[in-house]
Amino acid sequence: MRPPILFPLFASITSISGIGDKSAKLLSNLGINKVADVLWHLPYSLLRRNLQPSLQTAQLGEINTFAVTITEHIPPRRKSQPYRVLCSDEYGNQIVLCFFKVYPNSIVKNLPIGAKRFISGKVENYNDMLQMNHPDYICEHINNIPQFEPVYGLTAGITNKMLNRLSAQALQQLPILPEWQDNEFLKQHHFPSFNQAINAVHHPQNFDDLLPTSDARTRLAYDELLANQLALAIVRQKIKKQKGRKIAGNGLLRRKIIDALPFKLTSAQENVLKEIFADQASENRMLRLLQGDVGSGKTIVALLTMLNAVECGFQAAIMAPTEILAKQHLETIAPLCENIGLRAELLIGKVKGKARTKIISDLAEGKIDILIGTHALFVEDVIFKDLACVIIDEQHRFGVHQRLNLSNKGNSADILVMTATPIPRSLVLTAFGDMEYSKIDQLPAGRKPVDTRVMPLTKIDDITAALQKQISAGRRAYWVCPLVEESEKIDLAAAEKRFELLQNIFGDKVGLIHGKMKEKQKDEIMERFKNGEINLLVATTVIEVGVNVPEATIMIIEHAERFGLAQLHQLRGRVKRGNAAASCLLLYGYPISSTARSRLQIMKETEDGFLIAEEDLKLRGSGEILGTRQSGFVNFRLADMSVHQHLLITASQDAKLILNQDADLQTPRGQALRILLYLFERDDAVKTYLAG
Ligand code: ADP
Ligand code: MG
């Protein structure tokens, strides 16, 4: 249960007076849905409303503040004209205030002739006169005009003035929260309290206050990182406390599989297997992350890991994020298993009725050795006879919670999490906490580099002409359409339009696949692409994860500048499956920023996923790297991993220390930390793994 002290912050944004459903909808475009979200929406700049000594020093196009006297009212003669009010400063210089579409009564009342007023707003020159349209402020006292005004990120229909008012109201609703950080630590770093910090970031007094390195912003970033690390540490602590089983098979099944492979394991594969087998053999439960670039050969590593458990008479399961991927695993794993007298089965959403019942009962009787599936494996009636090993593939699509659900199906089953997203070291910590991890840092020999080119979209006619030649020569290509920030509908429209245009050229050789399609339709299209009925596949990023069509050797990505580098890397990996020479075209639209250009250049220069990820982290924030929008991966509101990385290690150590002293967060500080976890919505960990 969420602590009552946080209720005001978790109230809907419509609980703030003046915010109705309409504004709420607009605000949700900024990620603002509840009161706390307003607090997390930090200003990025600062307006100065310095009082000018006279109208003569007015800065055109800028915000200015002046002391003036009202001299004349000029009501509009036609409806389209503004109501104008003439003012002068004490030296006789003049300025016109313009009001469009307003009731004159209020102007007449508030700006009587001869009255002195302070006005603040943007000044322009119109017909050789100074002019201010709809001043931001008209006050009798200068003190009522803020000297500095925070500037917030906006969206259509939401003004900076509204956000300033909102943040003031949200701050008013902020209860005084107990301190969850260690007092000594706060003193050492000169950190303000949480309440002081959040007030300070919304009232910057100078440009330094806006820097992510300011004391207030650093404190808040640290709070968020600590919540993240503490939640992960809680989960990990619970898993580690459960004793594992010593799993060390006789190696016979593994030997048979290895002997049957048409290739030799790379030394990178051998090394990670050594680490994994050692984990399995120890009496602690395994919780390990396996990172390996697309095509580095994780599947065989997963299979050998599972076989170790099967050799000991146990069952194993592997879970993929999509049905396509689960089926792909089945296609690789099942024949290999069959050859050595084992049974692997697929359990996904569409396995229903009798077929499903049979799998469920065979599983419970131990007749199935390896179960392959999607989240359909979580369902309650899926019961193993004795599950000892769980592999989670492409794990960033799953939450921590889901991950553990499956592991609970086993009697303290070992867990190996596999990801093809190369994650920089620092970010591993944010996503997985202090978890052991292995890297397959080498691709199988013989892979040729992908010929990567960066070109403007304006060359599209040349490109389709070249593609035509390739397609008639029997090659297969992907054409990936971009993501548009606002809506999936628009994404889809763009892909459909491209599909139509390409159909005009390639006829029925081209197919379309996108995320809105039914699973069955997707499978059908993939199947036709696999068997060569279609040669050109237009896609939104649904193909990003793991699809395996070794014959496809050309990847064209439209508006590549809109993708994260890690995403581009994944996409390019799709055409690196076979041994044929492959090419990748990154098409960019104008205007393109210099940062975007250098990012695309990195793609041209290297195929090392880890290097790409590190570079991307330098150029952009962490959310971008991991493609937060699609993955629901670590999403920080206040911490910026390109600046606050160093805090993460401290937070990780801090979290460990806290749990060593207060495993169930029961002390007064522990109680405050629970509030922190709820505040940053990491409460899954509390609810599931902590005593009340
Ligand atoms: P990923 O790490 O992307 O899951 P896969 O396990 O799908 O990669 O492997 C990609 C391809 O490389 C597969 O066709 C697989 O059979 C092959 N492969 C795996 N290991 C080796 C190896 N040591 N030598 C040559 N080919 C390999
Ligand atoms: Mg894979």
Side-chain angles (χ1 to χ4, degrees), residues 373-394:
T374 52
H375 49 273
L377 299 186
F378 295 138
V379 185
E380 256 172 54
D381 68 342
V382 177
I383 297 162
F384 291 81
K385 177 157 183 259
D386 202 348
L387 176 66
C389 176
V390 174
I391 314 263
I392 302 175
D393 192 10
E394 313 280 359

Side-chain angles (χ1 to χ4, degrees), residues 155-221:
T155 181
I158 299 293
T159 64
N160 196 47
K161 207 167 180 178
M162 285 166 80
L163 277 173
N164 269 282
R165 196 173 59 87
L166 259 180
S167 78
Q169 282 165 305
L171 285 169
Q172 249 171 24
Q173 292 200 22
L174 175 68
I176 296 188
L177 300 175
E179 185 55 70
W180 44 71
Q181 299 290 2
D182 178 62
N183 275 322
E184 276 308 306
F185 175 80
L186 291 180
K187 262 190 229 149
Q188 237 175 53
H189 290 82
H190 311 287
F191 283 161
S193 73
F194 174 81
N195 287 63
Q196 285 167 339
I198 199 86
N199 268 285
V201 295
H202 286 281
H203 294 106
Q205 298 300 308
N206 52 55
F207 283 90
D208 283 350
D209 287 350
L210 295 167
L211 296 175
T213 47
S214 73
D215 285 345
R217 289 204 181 203
T218 311
R219 144 111 217 196
L220 296 175

Side-chain angles (χ1 to χ4, degrees), residues 12 85 87 112 139 151 211 281 295 403 427 491 570 610 615 645 656 677:
S12 153
V85 176
C87 308
C139 302
V151 182
L211 296 175
R403 191 193 306 172
L427 290 189
D491 291 356
Q570 294 277 313
F610 290 99
E615 289 297 319
Q645 263 188 58
K656 244 189 273 178
L677 290 169

Side-chain angles (χ1 to χ4, degrees), residues 298-299 329 393-394:
K298 292 184 295 299
T299 316
H329 279 318
D393 192 10
E394 313 280 359

Side-chain angles (χ1 to χ4, degrees), residues 283-308:
E283 62 181 17
N284 289 327
R285 206 170 165 187
M286 171 165 81
L287 181 59
R288 181 172 285 274
L289 173 68
L290 173 62
Q291 289 197 78
D293 224 328
V294 180
S296 61
K298 292 184 295 299
T299 316
I300 190 70
V301 170
L303 179 59
L304 293 169
T305 303
M306 293 192 284
L307 288 182
N308 189 16

